[in-house]
Amino acid sequence: MSQLLPPVAAVLPELVLAVSAIALILIGAFRGEAAANLVTGLAIAVLAAAALLVLLAPAGEVVAFNGSMVIDTYSRFMKFLALAGATVSLVMAVDWLNREKQQKFEYAVLVLLATLGMCILVSAGDLIALYLGLELMSLSLYVVAAINRDSVRSTEAGLKYFVLGALSSGMLLYGASLIYGFTGSVNFSVIATVVKEPSLGLIFGLVFLLAGLCFKVSAVPFHMWTPDVYEGAPTPVTAFFATAPKAAAMAIFVRVTAEAFPHVTHQWQQIVAFVAIASMVLGAFAAIGQRNIKRLLAYSSIGHMGFALVGLAAGTEQGVRGVLVYMAIYVAMTLGSFACVLAMRRKGQAVESVEDLAGLGTRNPVMALLLAALMFSLAGIPPLAGFLAKYYVFLAAIQAGLYWLAVIGVLASVVGAFYYLRIVKIMYFDEPAEAFDPMPSELKAVLGVSGLFTIFYFVYPAPLIEAAGAAARSLF
């Protein structure tokens, strides 16, 4: 019994999510659609409780289930980030679900199951746990994308995501089987001890594995699903897609490269650097012509994943710290941006065009000011949080001697600033459009916290940097 307890205590957040998801399915099944609001409220409480359990977990490293799950400072940091993103995006969905008559108890349960997958993914210590976590997360996300069955766009988004996701899972599985074949183990720490010199077969396996992970973080050239799914899926679902799953996928991306392949850094560094450059450049140029704000934020997200990967390409502890800080700030900025997108409603109907923001500076000065701050931050303009996020990853690249990567990143930032600043220009200088409906209180709270964090982060950045630094050290 004493041998069972440590692993069970270590995976308490996952157990809480799993048991709660089953309980909520039963409540929904017995009480029908009338239970939708109750189930959503309970799901938010469960996610918040799981995040609290992650925060209160004792320090140190616990290896559970024969090395399949690793609970360390790194996994706790990224789990908390994923859980926070999932909790806030579910809170933001409450008003939308009621307004659009989409009170389905399944939505909250699927978000819980996707988040359970993310927690397993972040703590994965071998290729099997990685695949289990990834598939549990992905299958839930495919259904959530198509949750609005009456909308052709939503159904199409879910189908597109499912077909391309299945392809990427196949590639990842093929890569994992090649790595197992050439190393004789699925465990990351054993693979690290076996792989001292890269063989051709192993590099092929690594390429396929990283291709599957690139799809999950929507990095170029596996980004093609992102704009269509972001635009077609219901807006609260898009807000969820853009935050928590990105953090979880980036977490396992870093763990696989840093823990399983530390001796072949040069090989995966080239792949990550290429993907980072392609993502930054495509994200900067492709968003310029976008008129739909959700598509614009999709290309923006592709670009930001590229910037985060610059830190990983450095292959150092400072680089990983930069990635963690970047992801935390990115999640905060994205949640605030989507709170504004969800508030874009006229006469009860959602509007999604960038031009619909015209004259927001006169109609709703507070919302306009906070959205402008978020746009400036996403563009990386000092002294806002987004600038400091980019500063850490570029600094890590420079310290690792990747000057060209940092230069391309800065140039892509300059190009990308154009479309963020265009939104600010439309809000303050264009002829005012009709006013939006009043903003629900939960969206006001999310926008307020996100906006203030973005504006005042530079005043006291130490806690986040120290937490990210401790998390990065646990990997090396």
Side-chain angles (χ1 to χ4, degrees), residues 251-270:
I252 195 65
F253 205 127
V254 173
R255 190 185 282 282
V256 165
T257 48
E259 279 202 343
F261 301 100
H263 303 298
V264 290
T265 303
H266 182 65
Q267 275 67 30
W268 60 254
Q269 197 175 31
Q270 293 174 44

PDB file of all heavy atoms in Angstrom, residues 251-270:
ATOM      1  N   ALA A 251       4.798  22.242 -23.849  1.00  0.00           N
ATOM      2  CA  ALA A 251       5.464  21.622 -22.695  1.00  0.00           C
ATOM      3  C   ALA A 251       6.087  20.289 -23.077  1.00  0.00           C
ATOM      4  O   ALA A 251       7.241  20.008 -22.740  1.00  0.00           O
ATOM      5  CB  ALA A 251       4.451  21.423 -21.563  1.00  0.00           C
ATOM      6  N   ILE A 252       5.328  19.447 -23.810  1.00  0.00           N
ATOM      7  CA  ILE A 252       5.873  18.129 -24.176  1.00  0.00           C
ATOM      8  C   ILE A 252       6.922  18.277 -25.273  1.00  0.00           C
ATOM      9  O   ILE A 252       7.891  17.517 -25.328  1.00  0.00           O
ATOM     10  CB  ILE A 252       4.747  17.133 -24.571  1.00  0.00           C
ATOM     11  CG1 ILE A 252       5.294  15.699 -24.593  1.00  0.00           C
ATOM     12  CG2 ILE A 252       4.111  17.471 -25.895  1.00  0.00           C
ATOM     13  CD1 ILE A 252       5.746  15.170 -23.251  1.00  0.00           C
ATOM     14  N   PHE A 253       6.774  19.267 -26.143  1.00  0.00           N
ATOM     15  CA  PHE A 253       7.775  19.562 -27.184  1.00  0.00           C
ATOM     16  C   PHE A 253       9.135  19.805 -26.519  1.00  0.00           C
ATOM     17  O   PHE A 253      10.162  19.218 -26.904  1.00  0.00           O
ATOM     18  CB  PHE A 253       7.332  20.819 -27.952  1.00  0.00           C
ATOM     19  CG  PHE A 253       7.861  20.920 -29.355  1.00  0.00           C
ATOM     20  CD1 PHE A 253       6.997  21.123 -30.429  1.00  0.00           C
ATOM     21  CD2 PHE A 253       9.218  20.835 -29.625  1.00  0.00           C
ATOM     22  CE1 PHE A 253       7.464  21.222 -31.735  1.00  0.00           C
ATOM     23  CE2 PHE A 253       9.705  20.936 -30.922  1.00  0.00           C
ATOM     24  CZ  PHE A 253       8.825  21.128 -31.970  1.00  0.00           C
ATOM     25  N   VAL A 254       9.126  20.641 -25.478  1.00  0.00           N
ATOM     26  CA  VAL A 254      10.370  20.975 -24.761  1.00  0.00           C
ATOM     27  C   VAL A 254      10.897  19.755 -24.015  1.00  0.00           C
ATOM     28  O   VAL A 254      12.085  19.452 -24.061  1.00  0.00           O
ATOM     29  CB  VAL A 254      10.129  22.153 -23.787  1.00  0.00           C
ATOM     30  CG1 VAL A 254      11.355  22.396 -22.923  1.00  0.00           C
ATOM     31  CG2 VAL A 254       9.770  23.425 -24.554  1.00  0.00           C
ATOM     32  N   ARG A 255       9.976  19.017 -23.345  1.00  0.00           N
ATOM     33  CA  ARG A 255      10.429  17.874 -22.540  1.00  0.00           C
ATOM     34  C   ARG A 255      11.061  16.783 -23.406  1.00  0.00           C
ATOM     35  O   ARG A 255      12.106  16.231 -23.068  1.00  0.00           O
ATOM     36  CB  ARG A 255       9.265  17.286 -21.726  1.00  0.00           C
ATOM     37  CG  ARG A 255       9.744  16.255 -20.703  1.00  0.00           C
ATOM     38  CD  ARG A 255       8.609  15.575 -19.982  1.00  0.00           C
ATOM     39  NE  ARG A 255       7.996  16.359 -18.939  1.00  0.00           N
ATOM     40  CZ  ARG A 255       8.505  16.531 -17.727  1.00  0.00           C
ATOM     41  NH1 ARG A 255       9.684  16.010 -17.410  1.00  0.00           N
ATOM     42  NH2 ARG A 255       7.854  17.221 -16.825  1.00  0.00           N
ATOM     43  N   VAL A 256      10.438  16.471 -24.536  1.00  0.00           N
ATOM     44  CA  VAL A 256      10.966  15.416 -25.413  1.00  0.00           C
ATOM     45  C   VAL A 256      12.362  15.775 -25.890  1.00  0.00           C
ATOM     46  O   VAL A 256      13.293  14.963 -25.816  1.00  0.00           O
ATOM     47  CB  VAL A 256      10.022  15.185 -26.619  1.00  0.00           C
ATOM     48  CG1 VAL A 256      10.710  14.380 -27.706  1.00  0.00           C
ATOM     49  CG2 VAL A 256       8.767  14.460 -26.176  1.00  0.00           C
ATOM     50  N   THR A 257      12.528  16.996 -26.380  1.00  0.00           N
ATOM     51  CA  THR A 257      13.838  17.379 -26.935  1.00  0.00           C
ATOM     52  C   THR A 257      14.907  17.483 -25.844  1.00  0.00           C
ATOM     53  O   THR A 257      16.020  16.996 -26.010  1.00  0.00           O
ATOM     54  CB  THR A 257      13.733  18.722 -27.699  1.00  0.00           C
ATOM     55  OG1 THR A 257      13.038  19.662 -26.876  1.00  0.00           O
ATOM     56  CG2 THR A 257      12.991  18.560 -28.999  1.00  0.00           C
ATOM     57  N   ALA A 258      14.546  18.093 -24.707  1.00  0.00           N
ATOM     58  CA  ALA A 258      15.551  18.341 -23.665  1.00  0.00           C
ATOM     59  C   ALA A 258      15.881  17.084 -22.861  1.00  0.00           C
ATOM     60  O   ALA A 258      17.031  16.884 -22.467  1.00  0.00           O
ATOM     61  CB  ALA A 258      15.075  19.450 -22.734  1.00  0.00           C
ATOM     62  N   GLU A 259      14.878  16.227 -22.618  1.00  0.00           N
ATOM     63  CA  GLU A 259      15.113  15.059 -21.745  1.00  0.00           C
ATOM     64  C   GLU A 259      15.514  13.807 -22.506  1.00  0.00           C
ATOM     65  O   GLU A 259      16.339  13.047 -22.040  1.00  0.00           O
ATOM     66  CB  GLU A 259      13.850  14.767 -20.918  1.00  0.00           C
ATOM     67  CG  GLU A 259      13.707  15.638 -19.694  1.00  0.00           C
ATOM     68  CD  GLU A 259      12.797  15.016 -18.636  1.00  0.00           C
ATOM     69  OE1 GLU A 259      12.043  14.085 -18.964  1.00  0.00           O
ATOM     70  OE2 GLU A 259      12.852  15.480 -17.486  1.00  0.00           O
ATOM     71  N   ALA A 260      14.888  13.565 -23.675  1.00  0.00           N
ATOM     72  CA  ALA A 260      15.147  12.301 -24.381  1.00  0.00           C
ATOM     73  C   ALA A 260      16.327  12.411 -25.346  1.00  0.00           C
ATOM     74  O   ALA A 260      16.975  11.420 -25.657  1.00  0.00           O
ATOM     75  CB  ALA A 260      13.902  11.850 -25.135  1.00  0.00           C
ATOM     76  N   PHE A 261      16.602  13.624 -25.857  1.00  0.00           N
ATOM     77  CA  PHE A 261      17.652  13.766 -26.885  1.00  0.00           C
ATOM     78  C   PHE A 261      18.665  14.868 -26.549  1.00  0.00           C
ATOM     79  O   PHE A 261      18.985  15.695 -27.400  1.00  0.00           O
ATOM     80  CB  PHE A 261      17.001  14.046 -28.253  1.00  0.00           C
ATOM     81  CG  PHE A 261      16.055  12.967 -28.684  1.00  0.00           C
ATOM     82  CD1 PHE A 261      14.682  13.123 -28.526  1.00  0.00           C
ATOM     83  CD2 PHE A 261      16.523  11.780 -29.224  1.00  0.00           C
ATOM     84  CE1 PHE A 261      13.801  12.128 -28.905  1.00  0.00           C
ATOM     85  CE2 PHE A 261      15.650  10.768 -29.603  1.00  0.00           C
ATOM     86  CZ  PHE A 261      14.288  10.936 -29.434  1.00  0.00           C
ATOM     87  N   PRO A 262      19.197  14.868 -25.313  1.00  0.00           N
ATOM     88  CA  PRO A 262      20.159  15.938 -24.973  1.00  0.00           C
ATOM     89  C   PRO A 262      21.491  15.808 -25.711  1.00  0.00           C
ATOM     90  O   PRO A 262      22.208  16.790 -25.888  1.00  0.00           O
ATOM     91  CB  PRO A 262      20.347  15.764 -23.458  1.00  0.00           C
ATOM     92  CG  PRO A 262      20.028  14.328 -23.204  1.00  0.00           C
ATOM     93  CD  PRO A 262      18.967  13.949 -24.194  1.00  0.00           C
ATOM     94  N   HIS A 263      21.825  14.572 -26.172  1.00  0.00           N
ATOM     95  CA  HIS A 263      23.140  14.358 -26.814  1.00  0.00           C
ATOM     96  C   HIS A 263      23.088  14.584 -28.331  1.00  0.00           C
ATOM     97  O   HIS A 263      24.112  14.526 -28.995  1.00  0.00           O
ATOM     98  CB  HIS A 263      23.659  12.945 -26.517  1.00  0.00           C
ATOM     99  CG  HIS A 263      23.761  12.667 -25.053  1.00  0.00           C
ATOM    100  ND1 HIS A 263      24.597  13.390 -24.215  1.00  0.00           N
ATOM    101  CD2 HIS A 263      23.121  11.757 -24.258  1.00  0.00           C
ATOM    102  CE1 HIS A 263      24.468  12.936 -22.980  1.00  0.00           C
ATOM    103  NE2 HIS A 263      23.571  11.947 -22.978  1.00  0.00           N
ATOM    104  N   VAL A 264      21.881  14.759 -28.879  1.00  0.00           N
ATOM    105  CA  VAL A 264      21.783  15.036 -30.326  1.00  0.00           C
ATOM    106  C   VAL A 264      21.126  16.404 -30.534  1.00  0.00           C
ATOM    107  O   VAL A 264      20.354  16.612 -31.462  1.00  0.00           O
ATOM    108  CB  VAL A 264      21.026  13.920 -31.088  1.00  0.00           C
ATOM    109  CG1 VAL A 264      21.831  12.652 -31.133  1.00  0.00           C
ATOM    110  CG2 VAL A 264      19.655  13.657 -30.473  1.00  0.00           C
ATOM    111  N   THR A 265      21.473  17.325 -29.640  1.00  0.00           N
ATOM    112  CA  THR A 265      20.877  18.675 -29.686  1.00  0.00           C
ATOM    113  C   THR A 265      21.043  19.303 -31.060  1.00  0.00           C
ATOM    114  O   THR A 265      20.122  19.932 -31.577  1.00  0.00           O
ATOM    115  CB  THR A 265      21.524  19.582 -28.617  1.00  0.00           C
ATOM    116  OG1 THR A 265      21.346  18.964 -27.345  1.00  0.00           O
ATOM    117  CG2 THR A 265      20.874  20.952 -28.594  1.00  0.00           C
ATOM    118  N   HIS A 266      22.221  19.124 -31.669  1.00  0.00           N
ATOM    119  CA  HIS A 266      22.491  19.781 -32.953  1.00  0.00           C
ATOM    120  C   HIS A 266      21.480  19.344 -34.015  1.00  0.00           C
ATOM    121  O   HIS A 266      21.076  20.141 -34.859  1.00  0.00           O
ATOM    122  CB  HIS A 266      23.925  19.470 -33.408  1.00  0.00           C
ATOM    123  CG  HIS A 266      24.288  20.151 -34.692  1.00  0.00           C
ATOM    124  ND1 HIS A 266      24.367  21.520 -34.801  1.00  0.00           N
ATOM    125  CD2 HIS A 266      24.554  19.654 -35.936  1.00  0.00           C
ATOM    126  CE1 HIS A 266      24.672  21.842 -36.053  1.00  0.00           C
ATOM    127  NE2 HIS A 266      24.799  20.727 -36.755  1.00  0.00           N
ATOM    128  N   GLN A 267      21.065  18.058 -33.954  1.00  0.00           N
ATOM    129  CA  GLN A 267      20.140  17.544 -34.976  1.00  0.00           C
ATOM    130  C   GLN A 267      18.742  18.165 -34.830  1.00  0.00           C
ATOM    131  O   GLN A 267      18.172  18.677 -35.785  1.00  0.00           O
ATOM    132  CB  GLN A 267      20.032  16.008 -34.887  1.00  0.00           C
ATOM    133  CG  GLN A 267      21.102  15.258 -35.650  1.00  0.00           C
ATOM    134  CD  GLN A 267      22.501  15.453 -35.057  1.00  0.00           C
ATOM    135  OE1 GLN A 267      22.654  15.655 -33.854  1.00  0.00           O
ATOM    136  NE2 GLN A 267      23.516  15.394 -35.902  1.00  0.00           N
ATOM    137  N   TRP A 268      18.182  18.115 -33.594  1.00  0.00           N
ATOM    138  CA  TRP A 268      16.823  18.673 -33.442  1.00  0.00           C
ATOM    139  C   TRP A 268      16.817  20.192 -33.429  1.00  0.00           C
ATOM    140  O   TRP A 268      15.814  20.824 -33.758  1.00  0.00           O
ATOM    141  CB  TRP A 268      16.081  18.079 -32.245  1.00  0.00           C
ATOM    142  CG  TRP A 268      16.665  18.253 -30.869  1.00  0.00           C
ATOM    143  CD1 TRP A 268      17.283  17.300 -30.129  1.00  0.00           C
ATOM    144  CD2 TRP A 268      16.639  19.423 -30.035  1.00  0.00           C
ATOM    145  NE1 TRP A 268      17.660  17.788 -28.901  1.00  0.00           N
ATOM    146  CE2 TRP A 268      17.267  19.094 -28.811  1.00  0.00           C
ATOM    147  CE3 TRP A 268      16.143  20.713 -30.191  1.00  0.00           C
ATOM    148  CZ2 TRP A 268      17.419  20.003 -27.754  1.00  0.00           C
ATOM    149  CZ3 TRP A 268      16.288  21.640 -29.151  1.00  0.00           C
ATOM    150  CH2 TRP A 268      16.926  21.263 -27.952  1.00  0.00           C
ATOM    151  N   GLN A 269      17.976  20.768 -33.092  1.00  0.00           N
ATOM    152  CA  GLN A 269      18.073  22.239 -33.094  1.00  0.00           C
ATOM    153  C   GLN A 269      17.814  22.797 -34.493  1.00  0.00           C
ATOM    154  O   GLN A 269      17.129  23.816 -34.656  1.00  0.00           O
ATOM    155  CB  GLN A 269      19.488  22.622 -32.630  1.00  0.00           C
ATOM    156  CG  GLN A 269      19.637  24.056 -32.179  1.00  0.00           C
ATOM    157  CD  GLN A 269      21.032  24.301 -31.621  1.00  0.00           C
ATOM    158  OE1 GLN A 269      22.007  23.669 -32.049  1.00  0.00           O
ATOM    159  NE2 GLN A 269      21.142  25.206 -30.678  1.00  0.00           N
ATOM    160  N   GLN A 270      18.333  22.087 -35.514  1.00  0.00           N
ATOM    161  CA  GLN A 270      18.131  22.549 -36.901  1.00  0.00           C
ATOM    162  C   GLN A 270      16.656  22.508 -37.283  1.00  0.00           C
ATOM    163  O   GLN A 270      16.139  23.431 -37.920  1.00  0.00           O
ATOM    164  CB  GLN A 270      18.932  21.660 -37.858  1.00  0.00           C
ATOM    165  CG  GLN A 270      20.431  21.788 -37.696  1.00  0.00           C
ATOM    166  CD  GLN A 270      21.166  20.769 -38.567  1.00  0.00           C
ATOM    167  OE1 GLN A 270      20.833  20.570 -39.729  1.00  0.00           O
ATOM    168  NE2 GLN A 270      22.162  20.117 -38.000  1.00  0.00           N
TER     169      GLN A 270
END
